[in-house]
Amino acid sequence: MTKQIFNFDDTINPGDVIVLGDIHGCFNLYESFLDHVRNSGATVILLGDLIDRGPNDMDVLNRTKDLLQDPESWGLQAFYALRGNHEQMFLDAVDGYGARLWAQNGGDYQNLDNLAYHEDWISQLPIYMTVGETMFVHAGIYPGHNPAKAIADGETESLVWMRDPFLSYGPDFAEWTHKLKQVVFGHSPLTAPMPYRILDGVCVDTGAYYTGVLTSYNVSRDTFWQYEINED
């Protein structure tokens, strides 16, 4: 990994692109983030793993659905959410296979019927997206490989589960595009409760469900902000 240099600043300008790390059912932390960005005119991107392990999956899903349908009512320019490996495990469980794997990874199997209310829109969440020179994905990509081709070939698992060799070598964009300069991802909270950088990449998953710290990254300003529950 490269030298860790972070600028923590809560300033948001209209049009800024802000990405949020893995929520994992931590609704109170999610609400703190939404209070911060509300009426900012920003574009928000959730990196996936909205559910599992934390206490409030349904609250997170209900709020996210509202924001996806009507970001303007929250004073946001746009709102997106990506699919993570926990959403994929949930969808597999709803389809009748993989329920054990999902439950072993913090899935609320006892509440599956209620959570299944959200199956349709969760199944439509994109695996990755790009804005300007930045790619957003839950876990990573094989270095030098075009993720669009991977999806077309039915090889989506790596994009929601990947760790190495991506963490060691970065995206290696030069092998397939000159338009992208960095990737922003979650999934691997190696330095929780802090974000970290890899070659041409930034990880903003800070293990919210066990650290109590949820992290956002303002891509437009190259700044970070963190949300914690104050129990005092």
Side-chain angles (χ1 to χ4, degrees), residues 34-62:
L34 294 175
D35 287 343
H36 180 206
V37 299
R38 192 165 192 165
N39 296 320
S40 66
T43 289
V44 170
I45 302 170
L46 308 183
L47 286 175
D49 281 7
L50 311 178
I51 58 172
D52 300 344
R53 295 180 171 154
N56 302 114
D57 288 348
M58 282 297 292
D59 290 332
V60 170
L61 292 178
N62 288 335

Side-chain angles (χ1 to χ4, degrees), residues 127-144:
I127 302 294
Y128 80 99
M129 63 182 292
T130 62
V131 178
E133 296 181 333
T134 301
M135 174 183 170
F136 303 90
V137 67
H138 175 65
I141 64 172
Y142 277 108

Side-chain angles (χ1 to χ4, degrees), residues 23-32 34 55-57 59-61 63:
I23 300 167
H24 276 300
C26 297
F27 185 65
N28 288 343
L29 294 174
Y30 188 27
E31 286 280 88
S32 295
L34 294 175
N56 302 114
D57 288 348
D59 290 332
V60 170
L61 292 178
R63 183 56 49 83

Side-chain angles (χ1 to χ4, degrees), residues 57-119:
D57 288 348
M58 282 297 292
D59 290 332
V60 170
L61 292 178
N62 288 335
R63 183 56 49 83
T64 300
K65 182 181 180 182
D66 290 344
L67 285 156
L68 289 169
Q69 291 178 334
D70 189 11
E72 292 84 2
S73 69
W74 288 75
L76 299 173
Q77 185 175 94
F79 190 93
Y80 304 97
L82 302 182
R83 185 187 307 186
N85 61 306
H86 282 264
E87 283 76 46
Q88 186 59 60
M89 286 188 288
F90 159 73
L91 292 172
D92 292 343
V94 172
D95 286 343
Y97 63 95
R100 177 173 294 183
L101 177 64
W102 181 53
Q104 289 173 340
N105 283 275
D108 186 5
Y109 185 75
Q110 299 302 316
N111 202 29
L112 178 59
D113 289 345
N114 288 329
L115 292 171
Y117 169 77
H118 292 289
E119 176 190 9

